[in-house]
Structures are given as C-alpha cells and as structure tokens.
Amino acid sequence: MHIIPASSRYELGAESWHNLLPEGGHIVHASGADGVVQTYTVALFHQLRCLEILHDAYVDEGSHLTSPLAAHCMNYLRQTILCQMDMRTEVQGSIFTYNGFDQLCYDWEVIYDAAQKNFDDYSKFR
C-alpha cells in the first residue's frame, strides 16, 4: 500500500498508536424514532481499538496471553479480515507494504470528523 502521509493516523512509530481513535473512542450515539439514545460502535473504530489493545498487550510483555479482551480482539480481527479479504499479491522482503500499485482508501477522515461531532454533541447532555 503506497500512502501519501496526509494524516497523523498513518505515521510510523509509537505516537501513531495514540492517534488511532477520535476523542470519544470507538462509540457513537444515535437517537431512535422514539427519542431513546442508543450506543453503537463503528466497525472501523472497533477494529482500530482492537489493534490498540493488542499493541498495548504485546508491549506489556505477555499480558496478551491472559487477557480476555486481547483474545476477543484477535478473533474479531481474524473474522474481519476473512470477511473483507484482500486477494491481491504483495512483494515480500520489504518493511513497507507496497504491491506495485496504489491502494484506493476510503476517506475515513470524514468518519473521524462525524464521530468527533457526535461525541461533542452527546457530551453536552451528560
């Protein structure tokens, strides 16, 4: 994947792990037709939260072996990858994931902005 680094979420290194999620985390709130507020998670944020949990568990040298949350995340990410598999071939032997052509990615910054607005709006009513 050849990415033009236009976002802090694509940076390499430890700091990028702190920029995976919007301020409100992986949840959003929506009012139903009856006015009752429901809490949801956006799959993109759920997946990124799981990556963050696994990263922290491995950095914590072995806590991934005993954490039920890490086990949940491993299974959730496995299912996500199998459900939305990418069958293109990739050249091996490089620290960069680049398979010879540009990857078209969704504009997920729009999702982050909407989640931030949702968090800001919901926080007003707490």
Side-chain angles (χ1 to χ4, degrees), residues 74-91:
M74 288 294 285
N75 191 51
Y76 176 72
L77 292 173
R78 178 187 61 84
Q79 290 173 337
T80 299
I81 291 167
L82 288 172
C83 181
Q84 300 171 5
M85 67 186 128
D86 182 348
M87 295 297 294
R88 292 171 295 167
T89 58
E90 298 177 339
V91 176

Side-chain angles (χ1 to χ4, degrees), residues 1-3 86 88 90 98-99 101-106:
M1 196 176 320
H2 180 71
I3 298 169
D86 182 348
R88 292 171 295 167
E90 298 177 339
Y98 183 62
N99 52 14
F101 54 91
D102 291 340
Q103 171 71 35
L104 177 62
C105 294
Y106 293 103

Side-chain angles (χ1 to χ4, degrees), residues 19 49 54 85:
N19 293 320
R49 176 68 180 128
L54 293 172
M85 67 186 128

